Amino acid sequence: VVAVGFLLLDILMMSIRVSLLFRNARLSLSLWNSTQLNLIGFLFSTFLPGAAGGDIAKLLCATRENHGRRAEVATVLILDRLVGLFSLVLLPLLFAPFFLDLLRSITVLRHLLYMDALLAVSMLAGTALVMFYVPTRSWVTWLLDRWPGLKSLALRVLEAMAVHGKARGSLFVALFLSLLANLALIGVTALGLYAVSPGSFSMRLALVAPIGHLANSLPLTPGGIGVGETAFNTLFALTGMSGGAETLLCLRFWNVFIGFLGLLVYLLGLGRIVHPYEEESDEARTGYMGVESAN
């Protein structure tokens, strides 16, 4: 019950995050619709390769009846995925100072942290290049000049990313929400380890669990089955723990309960859930005028 509660907290944090990012793009996605969208994404990510299957499902639902704004909607979802991934990459680096003796004694784990840090810097540099560096538009125009349709789409995406770059406060809030969401995921992992191997439970889990979940999200097998178990077994063994694969299987079992909620939302169907602010203002104005006329 506690594990399912943590998973629901994880989804709530992600739902607030994506709703906030849509607001930066002058688009409206209510928290309720955002929660439904993330439940559907959770459902599909459990049996399609990696996390990509859930992202594709969310993209199809969010762009419905949004002709002319699909590039902007897709950009928000891509940015949402990048923020969530970056927070997962960042967590091992935040926990590393608490395990310096362990890192000094295990060369492989230390090298994994170096790779993790390199990935974090690369993500930051790439995002900054797209959001804040103006000549990027000229480079894209030059590279895609032979394909006008693709060039137009790429420029719209760059413009949408630049808009988000101006709302830096919201980006920091989104990152904070992502860290909370992934801490909840680590909490679920800790519960799984305690359930299957309480004797090997250790706080070292906080250091290696995010790396294991990164490996599990790679789009190689449906839901990361096999890949995640191998990664967790290896990482747990490096830090003197056991039951890595069993811990992840525990999580997969608990994910089924959340998947049922996503299936229910999917079967009930979602209409148009993303609206431009202009449309909402027109609807509110129309409703107000109708009330005035009635009075």
Side-chain angles (χ1 to χ4, degrees):
V1 172
V2 175
V4 172
F6 270 119
L7 287 173
L8 290 173
L9 178 63
D10 181 13
I11 289 177
L12 177 62
M13 293 297 104
M14 291 191 296
S15 300
I16 297 173
R17 181 185 71 202
V18 72
S19 184
L20 175 66
L21 292 175
F22 268 109
R23 188 183 307 168
N24 291 342
R26 301 297 298 168
L27 294 167
S28 174
L29 175 68
S30 69
L31 180 58
W32 172 241
N33 285 332
S34 181
T35 303
Q36 291 177 302
L37 187 66
N38 277 288
L39 284 171
I40 289 177
F42 193 95
L43 167 68
F44 281 93
S45 65
T46 57
F47 64 86
L48 292 180
D55 293 334
I56 293 172
K58 289 196 292 185
L59 179 62
L60 291 174
C61 291
T63 55
R64 186 173 299 163
E65 298 182 31
N66 272 290
H67 305 288
R69 289 183 177 264
R70 287 178 175 171
E72 290 75 14
V73 173
T75 301
V76 174
L77 293 179
I78 291 171
L79 181 60
D80 177 68
R81 168 52 59 191
L82 286 175
V83 173
L85 183 61
F86 179 71
S87 68
L88 195 59
V89 171
L90 195 60
L91 277 177
L93 303 177
L94 297 178
F95 284 121
F98 301 99
F99 302 98
L100 293 178
D101 292 337
L102 179 68
L103 293 173
R104 291 191 190 101
S105 61
I106 304 176
T107 304
V108 175
L109 191 58
R110 192 165 62 250
H111 288 169
L112 284 174
L113 263 292
Y114 290 152
M115 293 174 61
D116 187 75
L118 180 61
L119 178 58
V121 171
S122 300
M123 291 180 70
L124 269 180
T127 304
L129 190 65
V130 171
M131 283 186 171
F132 309 116
Y133 193 59
V134 177
T136 304
R137 292 177 60 86
S138 301
W139 297 347
V140 170
T141 301
W142 177 73
L143 288 171
L144 302 178
D145 196 46
R146 296 182 180 179
W147 302 279
L150 185 59
K151 181 179 73 173
S152 175
L153 179 61
L155 290 175
R156 285 173 59 192
V157 170
L158 286 177
E159 185 64 32
M161 289 292 283
V163 169
H164 287 285
K166 296 175 183 177
R168 298 178 190 179
S170 295
L171 288 177
F172 280 114
V173 172
L175 178 59
F176 177 71
L177 291 170
S178 298
L179 289 171
L180 290 180
N182 284 316
L183 285 174
L185 182 61
I186 292 175
V188 178
T189 309
L191 288 170
L193 176 59
Y194 186 77
V196 300
S197 184
S200 64
F201 184 84
S202 169
M203 292 304 295
R204 297 175 177 182
L205 175 76
L207 181 64
V208 297
I211 302 175
H213 285 296
L214 277 172
N216 189 58
S217 65
L218 293 173
L220 300 176
T221 60
I225 293 176
V227 177
E229 280 76 5
T230 302
F232 268 78
N233 260 346
T234 303
L235 291 166
F236 276 34
L238 282 174
T239 53
M241 296 184 292
S242 60
E246 293 85 348
T247 297
L248 188 57
L249 286 172
C250 239
L251 265 71
R252 296 194 192 283
F253 175 74
W254 291 329
N255 286 347
V256 171
F257 291 96
I258 309 300
F260 276 127
L261 294 178
L263 179 61
L264 181 62
V265 173
Y266 179 74
L267 292 177
L268 291 174
L270 284 176
R272 187 180 184 184
I273 58 174
V274 177
H275 302 270
Y277 273 155
E278 295 82 0
E279 289 187 6
E280 287 208 335
S281 299
D282 290 342
E283 289 176 3
R285 193 179 302 113
T286 302
Y288 176 75
M289 291 175 65
V291 171
E292 285 294 311
S293 299
N295 291 337

PDB file of all heavy atoms in Angstrom, residues 118-149:
ATOM      1  N   LEU A 118      29.318  13.298 -16.859  1.00  0.00           N
ATOM      2  CA  LEU A 118      29.503  13.720 -18.248  1.00  0.00           C
ATOM      3  C   LEU A 118      28.166  13.843 -18.956  1.00  0.00           C
ATOM      4  O   LEU A 118      27.928  14.789 -19.730  1.00  0.00           O
ATOM      5  CB  LEU A 118      30.405  12.725 -18.979  1.00  0.00           C
ATOM      6  CG  LEU A 118      30.710  13.022 -20.447  1.00  0.00           C
ATOM      7  CD1 LEU A 118      31.428  14.352 -20.588  1.00  0.00           C
ATOM      8  CD2 LEU A 118      31.541  11.893 -21.064  1.00  0.00           C
ATOM      9  N   LEU A 119      27.264  12.906 -18.694  1.00  0.00           N
ATOM     10  CA  LEU A 119      25.929  12.956 -19.289  1.00  0.00           C
ATOM     11  C   LEU A 119      25.167  14.189 -18.807  1.00  0.00           C
ATOM     12  O   LEU A 119      24.501  14.872 -19.599  1.00  0.00           O
ATOM     13  CB  LEU A 119      25.153  11.683 -18.944  1.00  0.00           C
ATOM     14  CG  LEU A 119      23.719  11.579 -19.455  1.00  0.00           C
ATOM     15  CD1 LEU A 119      23.672  11.702 -20.983  1.00  0.00           C
ATOM     16  CD2 LEU A 119      23.074  10.266 -19.009  1.00  0.00           C
ATOM     17  N   ALA A 120      25.278  14.504 -17.517  1.00  0.00           N
ATOM     18  CA  ALA A 120      24.586  15.674 -16.963  1.00  0.00           C
ATOM     19  C   ALA A 120      25.102  16.964 -17.603  1.00  0.00           C
ATOM     20  O   ALA A 120      24.313  17.835 -17.989  1.00  0.00           O
ATOM     21  CB  ALA A 120      24.779  15.718 -15.448  1.00  0.00           C
ATOM     22  N   VAL A 121      26.415  17.078 -17.745  1.00  0.00           N
ATOM     23  CA  VAL A 121      26.996  18.282 -18.354  1.00  0.00           C
ATOM     24  C   VAL A 121      26.575  18.386 -19.819  1.00  0.00           C
ATOM     25  O   VAL A 121      26.254  19.475 -20.311  1.00  0.00           O
ATOM     26  CB  VAL A 121      28.534  18.253 -18.223  1.00  0.00           C
ATOM     27  CG1 VAL A 121      29.165  19.379 -19.049  1.00  0.00           C
ATOM     28  CG2 VAL A 121      28.939  18.379 -16.762  1.00  0.00           C
ATOM     29  N   SER A 122      26.574  17.261 -20.523  1.00  0.00           N
ATOM     30  CA  SER A 122      26.179  17.257 -21.939  1.00  0.00           C
ATOM     31  C   SER A 122      24.731  17.692 -22.107  1.00  0.00           C
ATOM     32  O   SER A 122      24.399  18.464 -23.018  1.00  0.00           O
ATOM     33  CB  SER A 122      26.385  15.867 -22.543  1.00  0.00           C
ATOM     34  OG  SER A 122      27.732  15.464 -22.459  1.00  0.00           O
ATOM     35  N   MET A 123      23.849  17.203 -21.218  1.00  0.00           N
ATOM     36  CA  MET A 123      22.439  17.587 -21.295  1.00  0.00           C
ATOM     37  C   MET A 123      22.262  19.072 -21.027  1.00  0.00           C
ATOM     38  O   MET A 123      21.493  19.752 -21.720  1.00  0.00           O
ATOM     39  CB  MET A 123      21.621  16.761 -20.303  1.00  0.00           C
ATOM     40  CG  MET A 123      21.508  15.286 -20.659  1.00  0.00           C
ATOM     41  SD  MET A 123      20.517  14.362 -19.453  1.00  0.00           S
ATOM     42  CE  MET A 123      18.879  15.015 -19.812  1.00  0.00           C
ATOM     43  N   LEU A 124      22.991  19.587 -20.032  1.00  0.00           N
ATOM     44  CA  LEU A 124      22.901  21.008 -19.727  1.00  0.00           C
ATOM     45  C   LEU A 124      23.400  21.861 -20.895  1.00  0.00           C
ATOM     46  O   LEU A 124      22.761  22.844 -21.285  1.00  0.00           O
ATOM     47  CB  LEU A 124      23.731  21.324 -18.481  1.00  0.00           C
ATOM     48  CG  LEU A 124      23.028  21.264 -17.124  1.00  0.00           C
ATOM     49  CD1 LEU A 124      24.011  21.596 -16.008  1.00  0.00           C
ATOM     50  CD2 LEU A 124      21.842  22.203 -17.074  1.00  0.00           C
ATOM     51  N   ALA A 125      24.533  21.458 -21.465  1.00  0.00           N
ATOM     52  CA  ALA A 125      25.114  22.226 -22.566  1.00  0.00           C
ATOM     53  C   ALA A 125      24.202  22.196 -23.793  1.00  0.00           C
ATOM     54  O   ALA A 125      23.981  23.228 -24.444  1.00  0.00           O
ATOM     55  CB  ALA A 125      26.490  21.660 -22.918  1.00  0.00           C
ATOM     56  N   GLY A 126      23.662  21.023 -24.113  1.00  0.00           N
ATOM     57  CA  GLY A 126      22.771  20.916 -25.266  1.00  0.00           C
ATOM     58  C   GLY A 126      21.508  21.731 -25.109  1.00  0.00           C
ATOM     59  O   GLY A 126      21.073  22.417 -26.042  1.00  0.00           O
ATOM     60  N   THR A 127      20.923  21.682 -23.913  1.00  0.00           N
ATOM     61  CA  THR A 127      19.700  22.447 -23.656  1.00  0.00           C
ATOM     62  C   THR A 127      19.970  23.947 -23.707  1.00  0.00           C
ATOM     63  O   THR A 127      19.177  24.717 -24.271  1.00  0.00           O
ATOM     64  CB  THR A 127      19.116  22.066 -22.289  1.00  0.00           C
ATOM     65  OG1 THR A 127      18.895  20.646 -22.243  1.00  0.00           O
ATOM     66  CG2 THR A 127      17.798  22.766 -22.049  1.00  0.00           C
ATOM     67  N   ALA A 128      21.094  24.375 -23.128  1.00  0.00           N
ATOM     68  CA  ALA A 128      21.444  25.796 -23.146  1.00  0.00           C
ATOM     69  C   ALA A 128      21.683  26.274 -24.578  1.00  0.00           C
ATOM     70  O   ALA A 128      21.302  27.391 -24.945  1.00  0.00           O
ATOM     71  CB  ALA A 128      22.690  26.039 -22.299  1.00  0.00           C
ATOM     72  N   LEU A 129      22.294  25.417 -25.394  1.00  0.00           N
ATOM     73  CA  LEU A 129      22.559  25.777 -26.787  1.00  0.00           C
ATOM     74  C   LEU A 129      21.261  26.017 -27.541  1.00  0.00           C
ATOM     75  O   LEU A 129      21.144  26.937 -28.351  1.00  0.00           O
ATOM     76  CB  LEU A 129      23.363  24.659 -27.460  1.00  0.00           C
ATOM     77  CG  LEU A 129      23.944  24.940 -28.846  1.00  0.00           C
ATOM     78  CD1 LEU A 129      24.994  26.027 -28.764  1.00  0.00           C
ATOM     79  CD2 LEU A 129      24.527  23.671 -29.449  1.00  0.00           C
ATOM     80  N   VAL A 130      20.264  25.184 -27.265  1.00  0.00           N
ATOM     81  CA  VAL A 130      18.977  25.306 -27.961  1.00  0.00           C
ATOM     82  C   VAL A 130      18.164  26.477 -27.422  1.00  0.00           C
ATOM     83  O   VAL A 130      17.525  27.213 -28.180  1.00  0.00           O
ATOM     84  CB  VAL A 130      18.190  23.988 -27.827  1.00  0.00           C
ATOM     85  CG1 VAL A 130      16.768  24.155 -28.351  1.00  0.00           C
ATOM     86  CG2 VAL A 130      18.893  22.866 -28.591  1.00  0.00           C
ATOM     87  N   MET A 131      18.188  26.685 -26.113  1.00  0.00           N
ATOM     88  CA  MET A 131      17.316  27.685 -25.493  1.00  0.00           C
ATOM     89  C   MET A 131      17.859  29.105 -25.575  1.00  0.00           C
ATOM     90  O   MET A 131      17.101  30.059 -25.752  1.00  0.00           O
ATOM     91  CB  MET A 131      17.076  27.330 -24.017  1.00  0.00           C
ATOM     92  CG  MET A 131      16.094  26.222 -23.787  1.00  0.00           C
ATOM     93  SD  MET A 131      15.770  26.035 -22.013  1.00  0.00           S
ATOM     94  CE  MET A 131      14.397  24.883 -22.050  1.00  0.00           C
ATOM     95  N   PHE A 132      19.175  29.243 -25.409  1.00  0.00           N
ATOM     96  CA  PHE A 132      19.725  30.580 -25.188  1.00  0.00           C
ATOM     97  C   PHE A 132      20.672  31.070 -26.280  1.00  0.00           C
ATOM     98  O   PHE A 132      20.978  32.258 -26.316  1.00  0.00           O
ATOM     99  CB  PHE A 132      20.466  30.620 -23.841  1.00  0.00           C
ATOM    100  CG  PHE A 132      19.657  30.105 -22.687  1.00  0.00           C
ATOM    101  CD1 PHE A 132      20.042  28.974 -22.001  1.00  0.00           C
ATOM    102  CD2 PHE A 132      18.491  30.742 -22.298  1.00  0.00           C
ATOM    103  CE1 PHE A 132      19.308  28.495 -20.937  1.00  0.00           C
ATOM    104  CE2 PHE A 132      17.742  30.273 -21.232  1.00  0.00           C
ATOM    105  CZ  PHE A 132      18.146  29.138 -20.550  1.00  0.00           C
ATOM    106  N   TYR A 133      21.155  30.187 -27.149  1.00  0.00           N
ATOM    107  CA  TYR A 133      22.145  30.591 -28.128  1.00  0.00           C
ATOM    108  C   TYR A 133      21.458  30.903 -29.453  1.00  0.00           C
ATOM    109  O   TYR A 133      20.993  30.004 -30.151  1.00  0.00           O
ATOM    110  CB  TYR A 133      23.192  29.482 -28.295  1.00  0.00           C
ATOM    111  CG  TYR A 133      24.432  29.913 -29.052  1.00  0.00           C
ATOM    112  CD1 TYR A 133      25.210  30.965 -28.590  1.00  0.00           C
ATOM    113  CD2 TYR A 133      24.816  29.259 -30.209  1.00  0.00           C
ATOM    114  CE1 TYR A 133      26.353  31.362 -29.270  1.00  0.00           C
ATOM    115  CE2 TYR A 133      25.964  29.640 -30.898  1.00  0.00           C
ATOM    116  CZ  TYR A 133      26.731  30.695 -30.413  1.00  0.00           C
ATOM    117  OH  TYR A 133      27.856  31.085 -31.094  1.00  0.00           O
ATOM    118  N   VAL A 134      21.379  32.184 -29.806  1.00  0.00           N
ATOM    119  CA  VAL A 134      20.629  32.637 -30.981  1.00  0.00           C
ATOM    120  C   VAL A 134      21.135  32.045 -32.297  1.00  0.00           C
ATOM    121  O   VAL A 134      20.332  31.668 -33.158  1.00  0.00           O
ATOM    122  CB  VAL A 134      20.622  34.179 -31.043  1.00  0.00           C
ATOM    123  CG1 VAL A 134      19.917  34.667 -32.300  1.00  0.00           C
ATOM    124  CG2 VAL A 134      19.954  34.759 -29.796  1.00  0.00           C
ATOM    125  N   PRO A 135      22.475  31.941 -32.534  1.00  0.00           N
ATOM    126  CA  PRO A 135      22.953  31.397 -33.821  1.00  0.00           C
ATOM    127  C   PRO A 135      22.495  29.976 -34.125  1.00  0.00           C
ATOM    128  O   PRO A 135      22.636  29.528 -35.261  1.00  0.00           O
ATOM    129  CB  PRO A 135      24.481  31.459 -33.679  1.00  0.00           C
ATOM    130  CG  PRO A 135      24.726  32.574 -32.725  1.00  0.00           C
ATOM    131  CD  PRO A 135      23.590  32.486 -31.740  1.00  0.00           C
ATOM    132  N   THR A 136      21.950  29.258 -33.130  1.00  0.00           N
ATOM    133  CA  THR A 136      21.473  27.898 -33.374  1.00  0.00           C
ATOM    134  C   THR A 136      20.422  27.880 -34.484  1.00  0.00           C
ATOM    135  O   THR A 136      20.368  26.953 -35.296  1.00  0.00           O
ATOM    136  CB  THR A 136      20.874  27.292 -32.087  1.00  0.00           C
ATOM    137  OG1 THR A 136      21.851  27.348 -31.053  1.00  0.00           O
ATOM    138  CG2 THR A 136      20.465  25.841 -32.300  1.00  0.00           C
ATOM    139  N   ARG A 137      19.577  28.903 -34.532  1.00  0.00           N
ATOM    140  CA  ARG A 137      18.551  28.986 -35.578  1.00  0.00           C
ATOM    141  C   ARG A 137      19.195  29.048 -36.969  1.00  0.00           C
ATOM    142  O   ARG A 137      18.726  28.409 -37.912  1.00  0.00           O
ATOM    143  CB  ARG A 137      17.667  30.209 -35.362  1.00  0.00           C
ATOM    144  CG  ARG A 137      16.792  30.140 -34.131  1.00  0.00           C
ATOM    145  CD  ARG A 137      16.005  31.429 -33.952  1.00  0.00           C
ATOM    146  NE  ARG A 137      15.144  31.679 -35.089  1.00  0.00           N
ATOM    147  CZ  ARG A 137      13.918  31.199 -35.228  1.00  0.00           C
ATOM    148  NH1 ARG A 137      13.399  30.447 -34.277  1.00  0.00           N
ATOM    149  NH2 ARG A 137      13.195  31.477 -36.289  1.00  0.00           N
ATOM    150  N   SER A 138      20.283  29.801 -37.094  1.00  0.00           N
ATOM    151  CA  SER A 138      20.970  29.908 -38.383  1.00  0.00           C
ATOM    152  C   SER A 138      21.575  28.573 -38.786  1.00  0.00           C
ATOM    153  O   SER A 138      21.533  28.186 -39.963  1.00  0.00           O
ATOM    154  CB  SER A 138      22.062  30.979 -38.308  1.00  0.00           C
ATOM    155  OG  SER A 138      21.509  32.232 -37.960  1.00  0.00           O
ATOM    156  N   TRP A 139      22.124  27.860 -37.815  1.00  0.00           N
ATOM    157  CA  TRP A 139      22.700  26.547 -38.122  1.00  0.00           C
ATOM    158  C   TRP A 139      21.624  25.591 -38.620  1.00  0.00           C
ATOM    159  O   TRP A 139      21.823  24.875 -39.603  1.00  0.00           O
ATOM    160  CB  TRP A 139      23.367  25.961 -36.878  1.00  0.00           C
ATOM    161  CG  TRP A 139      24.516  26.768 -36.362  1.00  0.00           C
ATOM    162  CD1 TRP A 139      25.159  27.795 -36.996  1.00  0.00           C
ATOM    163  CD2 TRP A 139      25.149  26.622 -35.088  1.00  0.00           C
ATOM    164  NE1 TRP A 139      26.162  28.297 -36.211  1.00  0.00           N
ATOM    165  CE2 TRP A 139      26.187  27.604 -35.029  1.00  0.00           C
ATOM    166  CE3 TRP A 139      24.969  25.778 -34.006  1.00  0.00           C
ATOM    167  CZ2 TRP A 139      27.012  27.740 -33.918  1.00  0.00           C
ATOM    168  CZ3 TRP A 139      25.788  25.918 -32.902  1.00  0.00           C
ATOM    169  CH2 TRP A 139      26.796  26.886 -32.859  1.00  0.00           C
ATOM    170  N   VAL A 140      20.484  25.574 -37.928  1.00  0.00           N
ATOM    171  CA  VAL A 140      19.396  24.680 -38.334  1.00  0.00           C
ATOM    172  C   VAL A 140      18.880  25.057 -39.724  1.00  0.00           C
ATOM    173  O   VAL A 140      18.621  24.189 -40.558  1.00  0.00           O
ATOM    174  CB  VAL A 140      18.250  24.739 -37.298  1.00  0.00           C
ATOM    175  CG1 VAL A 140      17.012  24.014 -37.812  1.00  0.00           C
ATOM    176  CG2 VAL A 140      18.709  24.137 -35.975  1.00  0.00           C
ATOM    177  N   THR A 141      18.754  26.346 -39.983  1.00  0.00           N
ATOM    178  CA  THR A 141      18.299  26.806 -41.304  1.00  0.00           C
ATOM    179  C   THR A 141      19.250  26.348 -42.395  1.00  0.00           C
ATOM    180  O   THR A 141      18.824  25.891 -43.471  1.00  0.00           O
ATOM    181  CB  THR A 141      18.194  28.347 -41.319  1.00  0.00           C
ATOM    182  OG1 THR A 141      17.276  28.754 -40.299  1.00  0.00           O
ATOM    183  CG2 THR A 141      17.705  28.837 -42.669  1.00  0.00           C
ATOM    184  N   TRP A 142      20.546  26.454 -42.138  1.00  0.00           N
ATOM    185  CA  TRP A 142      21.545  26.037 -43.122  1.00  0.00           C
ATOM    186  C   TRP A 142      21.537  24.523 -43.337  1.00  0.00           C
ATOM    187  O   TRP A 142      21.589  24.040 -44.469  1.00  0.00           O
ATOM    188  CB  TRP A 142      22.931  26.496 -42.675  1.00  0.00           C
ATOM    189  CG  TRP A 142      24.035  26.055 -43.603  1.00  0.00           C
ATOM    190  CD1 TRP A 142      24.306  26.538 -44.844  1.00  0.00           C
ATOM    191  CD2 TRP A 142      24.989  25.024 -43.334  1.00  0.00           C
ATOM    192  NE1 TRP A 142      25.381  25.868 -45.389  1.00  0.00           N
ATOM    193  CE2 TRP A 142      25.829  24.935 -44.479  1.00  0.00           C
ATOM    194  CE3 TRP A 142      25.228  24.171 -42.251  1.00  0.00           C
ATOM    195  CZ2 TRP A 142      26.876  24.030 -44.564  1.00  0.00           C
ATOM    196  CZ3 TRP A 142      26.289  23.276 -42.338  1.00  0.00           C
ATOM    197  CH2 TRP A 142      27.089  23.208 -43.476  1.00  0.00           C
ATOM    198  N   LEU A 143      21.428  23.751 -42.254  1.00  0.00           N
ATOM    199  CA  LEU A 143      21.474  22.287 -42.351  1.00  0.00           C
ATOM    200  C   LEU A 143      20.239  21.718 -43.039  1.00  0.00           C
ATOM    201  O   LEU A 143      20.323  20.725 -43.775  1.00  0.00           O
ATOM    202  CB  LEU A 143      21.610  21.680 -40.950  1.00  0.00           C
ATOM    203  CG  LEU A 143      22.966  21.841 -40.261  1.00  0.00           C
ATOM    204  CD1 LEU A 143      22.884  21.380 -38.811  1.00  0.00           C
ATOM    205  CD2 LEU A 143      24.044  21.041 -41.003  1.00  0.00           C
ATOM    206  N   LEU A 144      19.072  22.336 -42.810  1.00  0.00           N
ATOM    207  CA  LEU A 144      17.810  21.784 -43.318  1.00  0.00           C
ATOM    208  C   LEU A 144      17.237  22.599 -44.473  1.00  0.00           C
ATOM    209  O   LEU A 144      16.054  22.487 -44.782  1.00  0.00           O
ATOM    210  CB  LEU A 144      16.781  21.722 -42.175  1.00  0.00           C
ATOM    211  CG  LEU A 144      17.181  20.902 -40.949  1.00  0.00           C
ATOM    212  CD1 LEU A 144      16.094  20.960 -39.886  1.00  0.00           C
ATOM    213  CD2 LEU A 144      17.460  19.447 -41.332  1.00  0.00           C
ATOM    214  N   ASP A 145      18.069  23.384 -45.106  1.00  0.00           N
ATOM    215  CA  ASP A 145      17.583  24.266 -46.166  1.00  0.00           C
ATOM    216  C   ASP A 145      16.964  23.493 -47.325  1.00  0.00           C
ATOM    217  O   ASP A 145      16.078  23.993 -48.021  1.00  0.00           O
ATOM    218  CB  ASP A 145      18.726  25.150 -46.671  1.00  0.00           C
ATOM    219  CG  ASP A 145      18.216  26.323 -47.478  1.00  0.00           C
ATOM    220  OD1 ASP A 145      17.257  26.966 -47.015  1.00  0.00           O
ATOM    221  OD2 ASP A 145      18.739  26.572 -48.580  1.00  0.00           O
ATOM    222  N   ARG A 146      17.426  22.261 -47.571  1.00  0.00           N
ATOM    223  CA  ARG A 146      16.909  21.460 -48.686  1.00  0.00           C
ATOM    224  C   ARG A 146      15.542  20.848 -48.378  1.00  0.00           C
ATOM    225  O   ARG A 146      14.884  20.322 -49.279  1.00  0.00           O
ATOM    226  CB  ARG A 146      17.892  20.338 -49.029  1.00  0.00           C
ATOM    227  CG  ARG A 146      19.243  20.847 -49.538  1.00  0.00           C
ATOM    228  CD  ARG A 146      20.131  19.673 -49.897  1.00  0.00           C
ATOM    229  NE  ARG A 146      21.432  20.109 -50.394  1.00  0.00           N
ATOM    230  CZ  ARG A 146      22.401  19.278 -50.766  1.00  0.00           C
ATOM    231  NH1 ARG A 146      22.217  17.953 -50.687  1.00  0.00           N
ATOM    232  NH2 ARG A 146      23.548  19.746 -51.209  1.00  0.00           N
ATOM    233  N   TRP A 147      15.160  20.867 -47.122  1.00  0.00           N
ATOM    234  CA  TRP A 147      13.882  20.259 -46.716  1.00  0.00           C
ATOM    235  C   TRP A 147      13.040  21.331 -46.023  1.00  0.00           C
ATOM    236  O   TRP A 147      13.048  21.436 -44.773  1.00  0.00           O
ATOM    237  CB  TRP A 147      14.132  19.086 -45.779  1.00  0.00           C
ATOM    238  CG  TRP A 147      14.999  18.024 -46.390  1.00  0.00           C
ATOM    239  CD1 TRP A 147      14.616  17.032 -47.256  1.00  0.00           C
ATOM    240  CD2 TRP A 147      16.406  17.841 -46.181  1.00  0.00           C
ATOM    241  NE1 TRP A 147      15.692  16.253 -47.591  1.00  0.00           N
ATOM    242  CE2 TRP A 147      16.811  16.725 -46.959  1.00  0.00           C
ATOM    243  CE3 TRP A 147      17.373  18.525 -45.432  1.00  0.00           C
ATOM    244  CZ2 TRP A 147      18.119  16.273 -46.989  1.00  0.00           C
ATOM    245  CZ3 TRP A 147      18.678  18.085 -45.468  1.00  0.00           C
ATOM    246  CH2 TRP A 147      19.046  16.966 -46.234  1.00  0.00           C
ATOM    247  N   PRO A 148      12.303  22.128 -46.773  1.00  0.00           N
ATOM    248  CA  PRO A 148      11.560  23.268 -46.204  1.00  0.00           C
ATOM    249  C   PRO A 148      10.581  22.875 -45.095  1.00  0.00           C
ATOM    250  O   PRO A 148      10.453  23.582 -44.092  1.00  0.00           O
ATOM    251  CB  PRO A 148      10.819  23.846 -47.407  1.00  0.00           C
ATOM    252  CG  PRO A 148      11.599  23.384 -48.597  1.00  0.00           C
ATOM    253  CD  PRO A 148      12.157  22.056 -48.232  1.00  0.00           C
ATOM    254  N   GLY A 149       9.871  21.757 -45.302  1.00  0.00           N
ATOM    255  CA  GLY A 149       8.901  21.335 -44.287  1.00  0.00           C
ATOM    256  C   GLY A 149       9.573  20.996 -42.969  1.00  0.00           C
ATOM    257  O   GLY A 149       9.127  21.421 -41.896  1.00  0.00           O
TER     258      GLY A 149
END
